[in-house]
Amino acid sequence: QVQLVESGGGLVQPGESLRLSCAPSRRLSSTADWAWYRQGPGKEREFVAGIFSGITLISETIEGRFTVSRDNANDTMYLQMNSLKPDDTGVYYCNVRELPDTYWGQGTQVTVSS
């Protein structure tokens, strides 16, 4: 079993930036896929960004404002979020697929409000 711990959420004003981190409780396989999802108030959980077999994918709804990366040295995934909008408000979840298992973090709250 793997625990994923997200951090970096908070309350920011529109236009500001945040960087989220996701760290696993043990080192994961180099073939694992990593992703960020989010769930806004009254909305379904949606894909934000991820790294799949070394290929980075970003949801089109993000419009180029976010960047996903992973630090191999400390096995941590990051989500750099710039030009945040109120619609970005929600709980952000880390997801890792290390076949045959899939793991979810507990989520970190991001609130964008003036």
Side-chain angles (χ1 to χ4, degrees):
Q1 189 71 1
V2 174
Q3 280 76 50
L4 302 174
V5 179
E6 300 104 332
S7 60
L11 171 63
V12 295
Q13 296 188 349
E16 294 186 338
S17 299
L18 280 175
R19 188 177 79 154
L20 306 183
S21 301
C22 171
S25 57
R26 65 160 172 83
R27 191 162 190 87
L28 296 169
S29 167
S30 61
T31 61
D33 291 328
W34 298 65
W36 288 98
Y37 288 77
R38 69 183 181 186
Q39 187 165 15
K43 300 180 181 179
E44 296 186 353
R45 191 173 298 190
E46 64 174 348
F47 171 77
V48 175
I51 304 172
F52 305 95
S53 299
I55 298 173
T56 298
L57 296 176
I58 308 288
S59 170
E60 291 183 356
T61 61
I62 301 303
E63 300 172 322
R65 297 177 294 117
F66 296 179
T67 303
V68 61
S69 62
R70 195 166 76 86
D71 185 331
N72 289 326
N74 60 22
D75 214 24
T76 298
M77 177 175 64
Y78 301 97
L79 183 67
Q80 177 66 42
M81 305 187 293
N82 299 325
S83 302
L84 284 161
K85 303 176 181 180
D87 282 349
D88 295 318
T89 293
V91 179
Y92 284 69
Y93 297 92
C94 177
N95 168 273
V96 172
R97 186 175 58 187
E98 184 186 52
L99 293 178
D101 299 310
T102 298
Y103 306 105
W104 290 91
Q106 81 288 350
T108 185
Q109 177 70 44
V110 172
T111 302
V112 185
S113 176
S114 56

